[in-house]
mmCIF file of all heavy atoms in Angstrom:
data_model
loop_
_atom_site.group_PDB
_atom_site.id
_atom_site.type_symbol
_atom_site.label_atom_id
_atom_site.label_comp_id
_atom_site.label_asym_id
_atom_site.label_seq_id
_atom_site.Cartn_x
_atom_site.Cartn_y
_atom_site.Cartn_z
ATOM 1 N N ASN A 243 5.021 -16.988 22.699
ATOM 2 C CA ASN A 243 3.835 -17.260 23.568
ATOM 3 C C ASN A 243 3.649 -16.096 24.587
ATOM 4 O O ASN A 243 2.690 -15.998 25.207
ATOM 5 C CB ASN A 243 3.996 -18.554 24.328
ATOM 6 C CG ASN A 243 5.148 -18.707 25.165
ATOM 7 O OD1 ASN A 243 6.236 -18.071 24.951
ATOM 8 N ND2 ASN A 243 5.068 -19.420 26.302
ATOM 9 N N LYS A 244 4.627 -15.197 24.604
ATOM 10 C CA LYS A 244 4.650 -14.089 25.593
ATOM 11 C C LYS A 244 4.383 -12.756 24.820
ATOM 12 O O LYS A 244 4.582 -11.699 25.415
ATOM 13 C CB LYS A 244 5.776 -14.084 26.472
ATOM 14 C CG LYS A 244 5.884 -15.231 27.401
ATOM 15 C CD LYS A 244 4.917 -15.163 28.524
ATOM 16 C CE LYS A 244 5.098 -16.183 29.571
ATOM 17 N NZ LYS A 244 4.025 -16.121 30.587
ATOM 18 N N LEU A 245 4.102 -12.851 23.526
ATOM 19 C CA LEU A 245 3.885 -11.644 22.721
ATOM 20 C C LEU A 245 2.661 -11.715 21.843
ATOM 21 O O LEU A 245 2.644 -12.608 21.022
ATOM 22 C CB LEU A 245 5.136 -11.376 21.926
ATOM 23 C CG LEU A 245 5.140 -10.299 20.925
ATOM 24 C CD1 LEU A 245 4.993 -9.013 21.545
ATOM 25 C CD2 LEU A 245 6.541 -10.229 20.112
ATOM 26 N N ARG A 246 1.710 -10.863 22.014
ATOM 27 C CA ARG A 246 0.577 -10.821 21.208
ATOM 28 C C ARG A 246 0.664 -9.558 20.452
ATOM 29 O O ARG A 246 0.754 -8.449 20.946
ATOM 30 C CB ARG A 246 -0.642 -10.752 22.159
ATOM 31 C CG ARG A 246 -2.043 -10.569 21.468
ATOM 32 C CD ARG A 246 -3.109 -10.433 22.363
ATOM 33 N NE ARG A 246 -4.489 -10.468 21.664
ATOM 34 C CZ ARG A 246 -5.575 -10.230 22.299
ATOM 35 N NH1 ARG A 246 -5.638 -9.992 23.610
ATOM 36 N NH2 ARG A 246 -6.660 -10.174 21.618
ATOM 37 N N VAL A 247 0.494 -9.619 19.085
ATOM 38 C CA VAL A 247 0.483 -8.502 18.221
ATOM 39 C C VAL A 247 -0.790 -8.381 17.534
ATOM 40 O O VAL A 247 -1.469 -9.384 17.065
ATOM 41 C CB VAL A 247 1.579 -8.584 17.073
ATOM 42 C CG1 VAL A 247 1.550 -7.390 16.193
ATOM 43 C CG2 VAL A 247 3.003 -8.814 17.812
ATOM 44 N N ILE A 248 -1.387 -7.211 17.714
ATOM 45 C CA ILE A 248 -2.717 -6.889 17.166
ATOM 46 C C ILE A 248 -2.514 -5.755 16.158
ATOM 47 O O ILE A 248 -2.094 -4.681 16.502
ATOM 48 C CB ILE A 248 -3.713 -6.460 18.209
ATOM 49 C CG1 ILE A 248 -3.826 -7.600 19.271
ATOM 50 C CG2 ILE A 248 -5.150 -6.292 17.590
ATOM 51 C CD1 ILE A 248 -4.522 -7.198 20.584
ATOM 52 N N ALA A 249 -3.035 -5.978 14.894
ATOM 53 C CA ALA A 249 -3.124 -4.959 13.896
ATOM 54 C C ALA A 249 -4.621 -4.698 13.710
ATOM 55 O O ALA A 249 -5.280 -5.450 12.996
ATOM 56 C CB ALA A 249 -2.498 -5.321 12.623
ATOM 57 N N PRO A 250 -5.160 -3.738 14.410
ATOM 58 C CA PRO A 250 -6.651 -3.516 14.298
ATOM 59 C C PRO A 250 -7.098 -2.915 13.011
ATOM 60 O O PRO A 250 -6.258 -3.320 11.990
ATOM 61 C CB PRO A 250 -6.890 -2.590 15.458
ATOM 62 C CG PRO A 250 -5.600 -1.815 15.709
ATOM 63 C CD PRO A 250 -4.526 -2.738 15.198
ATOM 64 N N ASP A 251 -7.824 -1.977 12.784
ATOM 65 C CA ASP A 251 -8.084 -1.283 11.623
ATOM 66 C C ASP A 251 -6.840 -0.502 11.242
ATOM 67 O O ASP A 251 -6.287 0.157 12.054
ATOM 68 C CB ASP A 251 -9.360 -0.247 11.744
ATOM 69 C CG ASP A 251 -10.694 -1.161 11.724
ATOM 70 O OD1 ASP A 251 -10.748 -2.141 11.005
ATOM 71 O OD2 ASP A 251 -11.539 -0.515 12.256
ATOM 72 N N VAL A 252 -6.330 -0.694 9.978
ATOM 73 C CA VAL A 252 -5.144 -0.059 9.536
ATOM 74 C C VAL A 252 -5.461 0.820 8.290
ATOM 75 O O VAL A 252 -6.024 0.373 7.365
ATOM 76 C CB VAL A 252 -3.992 -1.090 9.257
ATOM 77 C CG1 VAL A 252 -2.844 -0.515 8.595
ATOM 78 C CG2 VAL A 252 -3.686 -1.868 10.432
ATOM 79 N N GLY A 253 -5.009 2.116 8.457
ATOM 80 C CA GLY A 253 -5.559 2.993 7.500
ATOM 81 C C GLY A 253 -4.509 3.043 6.266
ATOM 82 O O GLY A 253 -3.946 4.179 5.981
ATOM 83 N N GLY A 254 -4.354 1.991 5.582
ATOM 84 C CA GLY A 254 -3.590 2.019 4.313
ATOM 85 C C GLY A 254 -2.189 1.496 4.633
ATOM 86 O O GLY A 254 -1.828 1.705 5.795
ATOM 87 N N GLY A 255 -1.542 0.902 3.678
ATOM 88 C CA GLY A 255 -0.144 0.424 3.989
ATOM 89 C C GLY A 255 0.697 0.709 2.854
ATOM 90 O O GLY A 255 1.762 1.283 2.853
ATOM 91 N N PHE A 256 0.260 -0.018 1.603
ATOM 92 C CA PHE A 256 0.983 0.116 0.388
ATOM 93 C C PHE A 256 2.411 -0.333 0.479
ATOM 94 O O PHE A 256 3.389 0.153 -0.189
ATOM 95 C CB PHE A 256 1.000 1.613 -0.130
ATOM 96 C CG PHE A 256 -0.349 2.236 -0.042
ATOM 97 C CD1 PHE A 256 -0.560 3.304 0.803
ATOM 98 C CD2 PHE A 256 -1.519 1.652 -0.681
ATOM 99 C CE1 PHE A 256 -1.869 3.769 0.985
ATOM 100 C CE2 PHE A 256 -2.727 2.226 -0.646
ATOM 101 C CZ PHE A 256 -2.910 3.269 0.242
ATOM 102 N N GLY A 257 2.729 -1.309 1.354
ATOM 103 C CA GLY A 257 4.049 -1.783 1.489
ATOM 104 C C GLY A 257 4.674 -1.243 2.774
ATOM 105 O O GLY A 257 5.380 -2.030 3.595
ATOM 106 N N SER A 258 4.449 0.015 3.018
ATOM 107 C CA SER A 258 5.180 0.675 4.098
ATOM 108 C C SER A 258 4.963 0.106 5.437
ATOM 109 O O SER A 258 5.641 0.448 6.341
ATOM 110 C CB SER A 258 4.950 2.223 4.134
ATOM 111 O OG SER A 258 3.727 2.472 4.528
ATOM 112 N N LYS A 259 3.896 -0.638 5.617
ATOM 113 C CA LYS A 259 3.583 -1.187 6.944
ATOM 114 C C LYS A 259 3.840 -2.614 7.025
ATOM 115 O O LYS A 259 3.288 -3.449 7.870
ATOM 116 C CB LYS A 259 2.040 -0.805 7.406
ATOM 117 C CG LYS A 259 1.953 0.656 7.660
ATOM 118 C CD LYS A 259 0.518 1.054 7.966
ATOM 119 C CE LYS A 259 0.395 2.547 8.099
ATOM 120 N NZ LYS A 259 -1.135 3.122 8.043
ATOM 121 N N ILE A 260 4.593 -3.129 6.143
ATOM 122 C CA ILE A 260 5.053 -4.539 6.107
ATOM 123 C C ILE A 260 6.177 -4.783 7.272
ATOM 124 O O ILE A 260 6.207 -5.752 8.027
ATOM 125 C CB ILE A 260 5.622 -5.100 4.789
ATOM 126 C CG1 ILE A 260 4.603 -4.967 3.685
ATOM 127 C CG2 ILE A 260 6.227 -6.451 4.961
ATOM 128 C CD1 ILE A 260 5.219 -5.297 2.382
ATOM 129 N N TYR A 261 7.083 -3.845 7.331
ATOM 130 C CA TYR A 261 8.217 -3.931 8.032
ATOM 131 C C TYR A 261 8.085 -3.678 9.577
ATOM 132 O O TYR A 261 7.126 -3.011 9.899
ATOM 133 C CB TYR A 261 9.317 -2.914 7.504
ATOM 134 C CG TYR A 261 9.108 -2.780 6.070
ATOM 135 C CD1 TYR A 261 8.684 -1.504 5.589
ATOM 136 C CD2 TYR A 261 9.163 -3.848 5.229
ATOM 137 C CE1 TYR A 261 8.383 -1.358 4.167
ATOM 138 C CE2 TYR A 261 8.779 -3.751 3.846
ATOM 139 C CZ TYR A 261 8.380 -2.419 3.428
ATOM 140 O OH TYR A 261 8.095 -2.498 2.006
ATOM 141 N N ILE A 262 8.963 -4.272 10.290
ATOM 142 C CA ILE A 262 8.943 -3.949 11.737
ATOM 143 C C ILE A 262 9.908 -2.854 11.954
ATOM 144 O O ILE A 262 11.100 -2.886 11.536
ATOM 145 C CB ILE A 262 9.371 -5.274 12.474
ATOM 146 C CG1 ILE A 262 8.306 -6.366 12.371
ATOM 147 C CG2 ILE A 262 9.433 -4.988 13.910
ATOM 148 C CD1 ILE A 262 8.455 -7.156 11.142
ATOM 149 N N TYR A 263 9.418 -1.739 12.486
ATOM 150 C CA TYR A 263 10.222 -0.570 12.714
ATOM 151 C C TYR A 263 10.791 -0.530 14.046
ATOM 152 O O TYR A 263 10.289 -1.134 14.973
ATOM 153 C CB TYR A 263 9.405 0.584 12.320
ATOM 154 C CG TYR A 263 8.913 0.850 10.918
ATOM 155 C CD1 TYR A 263 7.877 0.315 10.361
ATOM 156 C CD2 TYR A 263 9.834 1.648 10.032
ATOM 157 C CE1 TYR A 263 7.498 0.479 9.029
ATOM 158 C CE2 TYR A 263 9.294 1.902 8.713
ATOM 159 C CZ TYR A 263 8.304 1.324 8.279
ATOM 160 O OH TYR A 263 7.919 1.573 6.964
ATOM 161 N N PRO A 264 11.727 0.304 14.306
ATOM 162 C CA PRO A 264 12.269 0.493 15.622
ATOM 163 C C PRO A 264 11.273 0.862 16.696
ATOM 164 O O PRO A 264 11.264 0.427 17.811
ATOM 165 C CB PRO A 264 13.242 1.703 15.426
ATOM 166 C CG PRO A 264 13.682 1.666 14.090
ATOM 167 C CD PRO A 264 12.455 1.133 13.300
ATOM 168 N N GLU A 265 10.238 1.659 16.298
ATOM 169 C CA GLU A 265 9.288 2.195 17.358
ATOM 170 C C GLU A 265 8.447 1.051 17.898
ATOM 171 O O GLU A 265 8.127 1.152 19.196
ATOM 172 C CB GLU A 265 8.360 3.201 16.599
ATOM 173 C CG GLU A 265 9.075 4.537 16.272
ATOM 174 C CD GLU A 265 9.648 4.389 14.915
ATOM 175 O OE1 GLU A 265 9.538 3.377 14.234
ATOM 176 O OE2 GLU A 265 10.318 5.377 14.427
ATOM 177 N N GLU A 266 8.157 0.099 17.259
ATOM 178 C CA GLU A 266 7.340 -0.975 17.861
ATOM 179 C C GLU A 266 8.110 -1.736 18.965
ATOM 180 O O GLU A 266 7.647 -1.993 20.031
ATOM 181 C CB GLU A 266 7.008 -2.122 16.786
ATOM 182 C CG GLU A 266 5.787 -1.935 16.015
ATOM 183 C CD GLU A 266 6.068 -1.688 14.490
ATOM 184 O OE1 GLU A 266 7.192 -1.467 14.068
ATOM 185 O OE2 GLU A 266 5.156 -2.052 13.786
ATOM 186 N N ILE A 267 9.469 -2.031 18.545
ATOM 187 C CA ILE A 267 10.230 -2.786 19.483
ATOM 188 C C ILE A 267 10.540 -1.877 20.792
ATOM 189 O O ILE A 267 10.349 -2.312 21.976
ATOM 190 C CB ILE A 267 11.666 -2.978 18.836
ATOM 191 C CG1 ILE A 267 11.417 -3.760 17.481
ATOM 192 C CG2 ILE A 267 12.586 -3.825 19.713
ATOM 193 C CD1 ILE A 267 12.642 -3.780 16.621
ATOM 194 N N VAL A 268 10.807 -0.570 20.470
ATOM 195 C CA VAL A 268 11.280 0.216 21.649
ATOM 196 C C VAL A 268 10.033 0.533 22.515
ATOM 197 O O VAL A 268 10.253 0.530 23.706
ATOM 198 C CB VAL A 268 11.890 1.543 21.025
ATOM 199 C CG1 VAL A 268 12.087 2.523 22.169
ATOM 200 C CG2 VAL A 268 13.083 1.291 20.243
ATOM 201 N N CYS A 269 8.861 0.637 21.989
ATOM 202 C CA CYS A 269 7.666 0.897 22.864
ATOM 203 C C CYS A 269 7.393 -0.197 23.741
ATOM 204 O O CYS A 269 6.910 -0.125 24.986
ATOM 205 C CB CYS A 269 6.540 1.405 22.091
ATOM 206 S SG CYS A 269 6.650 3.075 21.536
ATOM 207 N N LEU A 270 7.525 -1.394 23.152
ATOM 208 C CA LEU A 270 7.374 -2.659 24.035
ATOM 209 C C LEU A 270 8.362 -2.720 25.189
ATOM 210 O O LEU A 270 8.057 -2.913 26.263
ATOM 211 C CB LEU A 270 7.407 -3.987 23.120
ATOM 212 C CG LEU A 270 6.268 -4.178 22.281
ATOM 213 C CD1 LEU A 270 6.504 -5.248 21.232
ATOM 214 C CD2 LEU A 270 5.041 -4.624 23.079
ATOM 215 N N TRP A 271 9.572 -2.546 24.714
ATOM 216 C CA TRP A 271 10.710 -2.585 25.752
ATOM 217 C C TRP A 271 10.516 -1.452 26.734
ATOM 218 O O TRP A 271 10.615 -1.636 28.034
ATOM 219 C CB TRP A 271 11.945 -2.418 25.040
ATOM 220 C CG TRP A 271 13.156 -2.176 25.822
ATOM 221 C CD1 TRP A 271 13.867 -3.013 26.639
ATOM 222 C CD2 TRP A 271 13.865 -0.821 25.953
ATOM 223 N NE1 TRP A 271 14.881 -2.295 27.183
ATOM 224 C CE2 TRP A 271 14.916 -1.147 26.855
ATOM 225 C CE3 TRP A 271 13.695 0.407 25.309
ATOM 226 C CZ2 TRP A 271 15.857 -0.024 27.218
ATOM 227 C CZ3 TRP A 271 14.619 1.457 25.685
ATOM 228 C CH2 TRP A 271 15.646 1.190 26.597
ATOM 229 N N ALA A 272 10.120 -0.209 26.221
ATOM 230 C CA ALA A 272 9.862 0.842 27.245
ATOM 231 C C ALA A 272 8.782 0.603 28.219
ATOM 232 O O ALA A 272 8.816 1.120 29.358
ATOM 233 C CB ALA A 272 9.650 2.135 26.467
ATOM 234 N N SER A 273 7.732 -0.150 27.764
ATOM 235 C CA SER A 273 6.595 -0.356 28.657
ATOM 236 C C SER A 273 7.081 -1.222 29.768
ATOM 237 O O SER A 273 6.639 -1.062 30.917
ATOM 238 C CB SER A 273 5.576 -1.043 27.831
ATOM 239 O OG SER A 273 4.508 -1.480 28.686
ATOM 240 N N LYS A 274 8.014 -2.138 29.511
ATOM 241 C CA LYS A 274 8.448 -2.928 30.640
ATOM 242 C C LYS A 274 9.435 -2.126 31.586
ATOM 243 O O LYS A 274 9.279 -2.159 32.792
ATOM 244 C CB LYS A 274 9.200 -4.167 30.076
ATOM 245 C CG LYS A 274 9.786 -5.023 31.081
ATOM 246 C CD LYS A 274 10.302 -6.376 30.513
ATOM 247 C CE LYS A 274 10.801 -7.282 31.598
ATOM 248 N NZ LYS A 274 11.357 -8.556 31.134
ATOM 249 N N LYS A 275 10.200 -1.394 30.869
ATOM 250 C CA LYS A 275 11.095 -0.509 31.712
ATOM 251 C C LYS A 275 10.373 0.463 32.674
ATOM 252 O O LYS A 275 10.699 0.735 33.784
ATOM 253 C CB LYS A 275 11.948 0.395 30.800
ATOM 254 C CG LYS A 275 13.084 -0.304 30.060
ATOM 255 C CD LYS A 275 14.098 -0.936 30.992
ATOM 256 C CE LYS A 275 15.449 -0.255 31.019
ATOM 257 N NZ LYS A 275 16.440 -1.160 31.499
ATOM 258 N N THR A 276 9.335 1.034 32.136
ATOM 259 C CA THR A 276 8.602 2.092 32.825
ATOM 260 C C THR A 276 7.396 1.629 33.650
ATOM 261 O O THR A 276 6.877 2.304 34.544
ATOM 262 C CB THR A 276 8.055 3.217 31.821
ATOM 263 O OG1 THR A 276 7.203 2.598 30.877
ATOM 264 C CG2 THR A 276 9.158 3.974 31.155
ATOM 265 N N GLY A 277 6.902 0.416 33.297
ATOM 266 C CA GLY A 277 5.783 -0.172 33.988
ATOM 267 C C GLY A 277 4.479 0.452 33.566
ATOM 268 O O GLY A 277 3.457 0.273 34.284
ATOM 269 N N VAL A 278 4.386 1.266 32.498
ATOM 270 C CA VAL A 278 3.144 1.801 31.970
ATOM 271 C C VAL A 278 3.013 1.434 30.475
ATOM 272 O O VAL A 278 4.033 1.190 29.772
ATOM 273 C CB VAL A 278 3.108 3.232 32.091
ATOM 274 C CG1 VAL A 278 3.095 3.745 33.576
ATOM 275 C CG2 VAL A 278 4.298 3.989 31.397
ATOM 276 N N PRO A 279 1.797 1.265 30.026
ATOM 277 C CA PRO A 279 1.557 1.246 28.514
ATOM 278 C C PRO A 279 2.085 2.429 27.752
ATOM 279 O O PRO A 279 1.871 3.479 28.347
ATOM 280 C CB PRO A 279 0.010 0.922 28.368
ATOM 281 C CG PRO A 279 -0.368 0.539 29.693
ATOM 282 C CD PRO A 279 0.484 1.296 30.718
ATOM 283 N N VAL A 280 2.720 2.247 26.691
ATOM 284 C CA VAL A 280 3.422 3.262 26.067
ATOM 285 C C VAL A 280 2.868 3.395 24.484
ATOM 286 O O VAL A 280 3.052 2.421 23.791
ATOM 287 C CB VAL A 280 4.938 3.134 25.932
ATOM 288 C CG1 VAL A 280 5.579 4.140 25.224
ATOM 289 C CG2 VAL A 280 5.519 3.122 27.355
ATOM 290 N N LYS A 281 2.271 4.555 24.213
ATOM 291 C CA LYS A 281 1.832 4.678 22.819
ATOM 292 C C LYS A 281 2.620 5.760 22.198
ATOM 293 O O LYS A 281 2.968 6.780 22.707
ATOM 294 C CB LYS A 281 0.314 5.076 22.976
ATOM 295 C CG LYS A 281 -0.219 5.421 21.509
ATOM 296 C CD LYS A 281 -1.735 5.138 21.422
ATOM 297 C CE LYS A 281 -2.493 6.496 21.819
ATOM 298 N NZ LYS A 281 -4.020 6.173 21.807
ATOM 299 N N TRP A 282 2.849 5.436 20.900
ATOM 300 C CA TRP A 282 3.560 6.496 20.033
ATOM 301 C C TRP A 282 2.750 6.515 18.746
ATOM 302 O O TRP A 282 2.342 5.503 18.122
ATOM 303 C CB TRP A 282 4.922 5.979 19.681
ATOM 304 C CG TRP A 282 5.638 6.700 18.524
ATOM 305 C CD1 TRP A 282 6.132 7.874 18.668
ATOM 306 C CD2 TRP A 282 5.642 6.290 17.258
ATOM 307 N NE1 TRP A 282 6.621 8.272 17.478
ATOM 308 C CE2 TRP A 282 6.420 7.386 16.517
ATOM 309 C CE3 TRP A 282 5.252 5.187 16.553
ATOM 310 C CZ2 TRP A 282 6.608 7.299 15.149
ATOM 311 C CZ3 TRP A 282 5.606 5.124 15.165
ATOM 312 C CH2 TRP A 282 6.253 6.216 14.473
ATOM 313 N N THR A 283 2.537 7.778 18.312
ATOM 314 C CA THR A 283 1.835 7.943 17.066
ATOM 315 C C THR A 283 2.661 9.026 16.326
ATOM 316 O O THR A 283 3.011 9.981 16.756
ATOM 317 C CB THR A 283 0.415 8.611 17.307
ATOM 318 O OG1 THR A 283 -0.295 7.734 18.244
ATOM 319 C CG2 THR A 283 -0.220 8.773 15.927
ATOM 320 N N SER A 284 2.900 8.605 14.980
ATOM 321 C CA SER A 284 3.816 9.378 14.192
ATOM 322 C C SER A 284 3.092 10.474 13.679
ATOM 323 O O SER A 284 1.841 10.397 13.391
ATOM 324 C CB SER A 284 4.185 8.549 12.976
ATOM 325 O OG SER A 284 4.811 9.259 11.819
ATOM 326 N N ASP A 285 3.755 11.667 13.522
ATOM 327 C CA ASP A 285 3.074 12.762 12.751
ATOM 328 C C ASP A 285 3.578 12.673 11.455
ATOM 329 O O ASP A 285 4.300 11.816 11.004
ATOM 330 C CB ASP A 285 3.378 14.128 13.494
ATOM 331 C CG ASP A 285 4.884 14.472 13.523
ATOM 332 O OD1 ASP A 285 5.629 14.163 12.716
ATOM 333 O OD2 ASP A 285 5.246 15.209 14.512
ATOM 334 N N ARG A 286 3.058 13.521 10.520
ATOM 335 C CA ARG A 286 3.230 13.328 9.159
ATOM 336 C C ARG A 286 4.726 13.596 8.794
ATOM 337 O O ARG A 286 5.376 12.888 7.924
ATOM 338 C CB ARG A 286 2.268 14.219 8.232
ATOM 339 C CG ARG A 286 2.463 14.067 6.719
ATOM 340 C CD ARG A 286 2.158 12.644 6.289
ATOM 341 N NE ARG A 286 0.927 12.094 6.639
ATOM 342 C CZ ARG A 286 0.566 10.873 6.479
ATOM 343 N NH1 ARG A 286 1.391 10.034 5.774
ATOM 344 N NH2 ARG A 286 -0.513 10.424 6.848
#
Side-chain angles (χ1 to χ4, degrees):
Chain A
N243 63 325
K244 294 290 186 187
L245 175 58
R246 175 184 186 186
V247 179
I248 303 168
D251 286 329
V252 173
F256 316 115
S258 69
K259 292 173 181 169
I260 296 173
Y261 329 113
I262 293 85
Y263 288 89
E265 292 85 1
E266 280 122 329
I267 306 164
V268 175
C269 284
L270 283 167
W271 168 74
S273 175
K274 184 171 180 179
K275 287 294 255 198
T276 57
V278 292
V280 176
K281 179 154 87 181
W282 168 78
T283 303
S284 170
D285 61 32
R286 184 57 58 187

